[in-house]
Amino acid sequence: MMLRKFLAGLFCTVIAASAFTSCSSQTSSSSDTAEVTTAAELTTEAVSTQPLTVENVDIANFTAPEKGDTIIIMNIRDYGTVKFRLFPEYADRGVENFVELAKKGYYDGLKFHRVINDFMIQGGDPLGTGTGGECTWGGKFDGGTDPHLIHAAGAVAYANSGGTSTNGSQFYIVTGTTYTDEDFDDIANKGYIFSDNAKEIYKKAGGAPWLDGSYTVFGQVIDGLDIIFKIQNVKTDPDNDMPYKDVIMDSVTVGEYDGEDIRWYINDYESFDPEEIRQASAKEDVEIKNFTAPKEGETIVSMKLKGYDREVKIKLFPEYTEKGIENFTTLAERGYYDGLTFHRVMKDLLIEGGDPNGDGTGGESIFDKGYEDSADPHLLHVAGAVAYSNEGSLNTNGSRFFIVTGEKLTQDEVDEIESYGYEFTKSEKELYTEYGGVPWFDGSYTVFGQVFDGLDIIFDIQNCEVDENNKPKKDIVIEKMTVTKYNGEDVRWHLSDYE
């Protein structure tokens, strides 16, 4: 059963450019992705380069700023104001970069695109995906690390993509958890040693100690730490840790410390109900549009497959993915898809085609530099949905596409998927249990069409014999792809509508 495969490798990208793509907890496969290693990713290999002994230096995170010192004031929409002090004496380039970007208004309006409970919140990417951003000097810079600054709760540091030399604009604020001596013994068994001063702070304030030495810490929250801890409880997409409802920095400005009270620790603030925040930030139950009937004269796509008498007809949704439709219809009108094969077929999941190489490694869009696309919540990966394959990001859509088959989910299966952190709205649950599909694709791929005739052909194709790479042993050829107009023919959305 495909569901079992899903549960075995939950939320792994399966529509990748190569058969060799593997699962990862990263938000994207792009080499430009700024990442922060989670506790789950902590391995002996990751920490074996750390020194076996460390100097017991004074930790500077919780040293109070002097009146008149430069601070950062961050106003987060619907949450409030967070202030953090800076440490130019230990992270001069890191501080200069952030201050100059803030002065330019670079961060104003950007969102926290990655939120992980008991770990951190990450933002500062103008693309909002974790794949963008640059420093004030252009490109990347090396901020280094300093043992006087650690990843205690409230620490502010740069995300990177493999070393402090890849710092850009993306940053994160640590929440983490408190640690015990036993916890430090466990980490020490992996080869990581902490100073006594660092241990005492992690025991009291909490944090993410395994990040020390790998990321540039340059600031520490002095007020509004409760806001950071509230944000870490928002509901997120389990596939990429992105909040369902945007958490936006309305403004990030440079100010001066005027002697106001400092509240370093979460216990300095009033308690709050995390569950209340989770409920308020849940996925919105929007109306699903996959099964909206086409209107007379509306543009549709007809696909004639070799060996089948009837055509597969696809309704398009330009109102939700304008560039995606322009890309698909333009390629079809150019005859790009004519003669290509469905190179990948997975029973109870999908059939994939549109690659001139015929192996899942090729294809291109009509736009020279690609294009930014979206995964609109009004369109789901229900049976018959047509979507673009990608290479780990919606910005890597090209010509390759897939058509969903999937299976109907039982209530037990829905409950099991939800136990892994996936969230269904009421509308999503109703459609996936009644018509089937692959809900774990939602949010990761651009759905742009829905089969309204010929769905039985798609389900017939998924039963073909395939090799170890899921490539059909006998070619399944797209004879002709035609852009035409809907003329009132019968609409048959569901497999039960066919003989």
Side-chain angles (χ1 to χ4, degrees), residues 13-24 29 344 359-361 468-469:
T13 300
V14 299
I15 313 299
S18 168
F20 300 104
T21 298
S22 62
C23 298
S24 170
S29 62
R344 193 178 190 207
D359 59 5
T361 62
E468 64 275 9
N469 294 317

Side-chain angles (χ1 to χ4, degrees), residues 244-245 279-289 376-380 423-432:
Y244 286 122
K245 293 184 178 179
Q279 292 303 319
S281 58
K283 190 192 304 185
E284 185 180 359
D285 192 7
V286 301
E287 183 179 358
I288 308 304
K289 298 293 188 178
D376 195 283
H378 294 87
L379 299 173
L380 303 181
E423 181 179 5
F424 289 96
T425 66
K426 180 180 178 182
S427 299
E428 291 170 349
K429 193 177 298 185
E430 288 175 352
L431 288 177
Y432 282 121

Side-chain angles (χ1 to χ4, degrees), residues 2 15 18 32 49 78 115 158 201 205 219 253 260 299 304 406 457 460 488:
M2 184 52 61
I15 313 299
S18 168
D32 294 330
T49 58
D78 299 326
V115 173
Y158 286 105
I201 286 181
T253 57
E260 63 263 41
T299 298
K304 178 68 170 65
I457 294 173
D460 183 62

Side-chain angles (χ1 to χ4, degrees), residues 27-28 33 111 113 125-132 170 242 393-395:
T27 52
S28 169
T33 301
K111 65 183 181 180
H113 61 269
D125 175 12
L127 299 181
T129 61
T131 62
Q170 290 190 48
M242 188 175 293
S393 166
L394 298 173
N395 299 331

Side-chain angles (χ1 to χ4, degrees), residues 157-408:
Y158 286 105
N160 67 49
S161 52
T164 59
S165 62
T166 62
N167 293 345
S169 62
Q170 290 190 48
F171 67 95
Y172 58 94
I173 305 176
V174 176
T175 56
T177 58
T178 55
Y179 279 72
T180 65
D181 287 328
E182 184 178 347
D183 294 329
F184 283 115
D185 289 342
D186 288 340
I187 299 178
N189 289 333
K190 293 181 168 64
Y192 208 132
I193 305 299
F194 296 92
S195 71
D196 290 338
N197 289 342
K199 286 181 182 179
E200 289 307 309
I201 286 181
Y202 284 124
K203 290 176 188 177
K204 179 180 180 180
W210 66 90
L211 300 181
D212 291 346
S214 297
Y215 301 89
T216 304
V217 178
F218 64 94
Q220 183 73 31
V221 173
I222 60 174
D223 195 26
L225 186 63
D226 59 332
I227 291 172
I228 305 304
F229 272 72
K230 287 176 181 177
I231 292 171
Q232 75 162 347
N233 286 288
V234 299
K235 288 270 193 176
T236 60
D237 184 337
D239 189 38
N240 53 26
D241 301 313
M242 188 175 293
Y244 286 122
K245 293 184 178 179
D246 288 348
V247 180
I248 297 173
M249 293 175 275
D250 278 331
S251 65
V252 179
T253 57
V254 180
E256 290 185 357
Y257 176 63
D258 63 3
E260 63 263 41
D261 289 342
I262 292 175
R263 296 185 289 174
W264 298 117
Y265 310 110
I266 191 60
N267 291 336
D268 295 335
Y269 301 82
E270 291 183 8
S271 61
F272 58 88
D273 184 1
E275 185 57 32
E276 187 176 310
I277 295 170
R278 283 190 283 270
Q279 292 303 319
S281 58
K283 190 192 304 185
E284 185 180 359
D285 192 7
V286 301
E287 183 179 358
I288 308 304
K289 298 293 188 178
N290 290 65
F291 302 123
T292 306
K295 297 178 181 178
E296 189 83 25
E298 183 178 312
T299 298
I300 63 170
V301 169
S302 295
M303 181 171 58
K304 178 68 170 65
L305 299 174
K306 188 174 182 180
Y308 292 91
D309 295 333
R310 293 183 293 108
E311 294 179 324
V312 174
K313 297 183 178 181
I314 302 168
K315 174 187 165 61
L316 305 173
F317 298 93
E319 63 271 36
Y320 297 116
T321 172
E322 182 178 1
K323 280 197 168 183
I325 297 301
E326 181 184 356
N327 181 64
F328 192 74
T329 55
T330 301
L331 289 174
E333 287 172 335
R334 291 176 180 174
Y336 184 96
Y337 292 114
D338 299 351
L340 300 188
T341 64
F342 281 94
H343 59 271
R344 193 178 190 207
V345 173
M346 301 178 72
K347 183 173 172 57
D348 296 330
L349 186 65
L350 57 81
I351 68 172
E352 182 182 359
D355 175 13
N357 292 345
D359 59 5
T361 62
E364 59 187 357
S365 76
I366 63 170
F367 306 102
D368 289 341
K369 295 182 180 180
Y371 64 99
E372 293 182 25
D373 217 328
S374 62
D376 195 283
H378 294 87
L379 299 173
L380 303 181
H381 288 82
V382 290
V386 188
Y388 283 111
S389 308
N390 66 47
E391 299 170 29
S393 166
L394 298 173
N395 299 331
T396 60
N397 293 343
S399 60
R400 291 184 293 115
F401 67 94
F402 61 94
I403 304 177
V404 174
T405 55
E407 297 176 293
K408 293 182 182 180

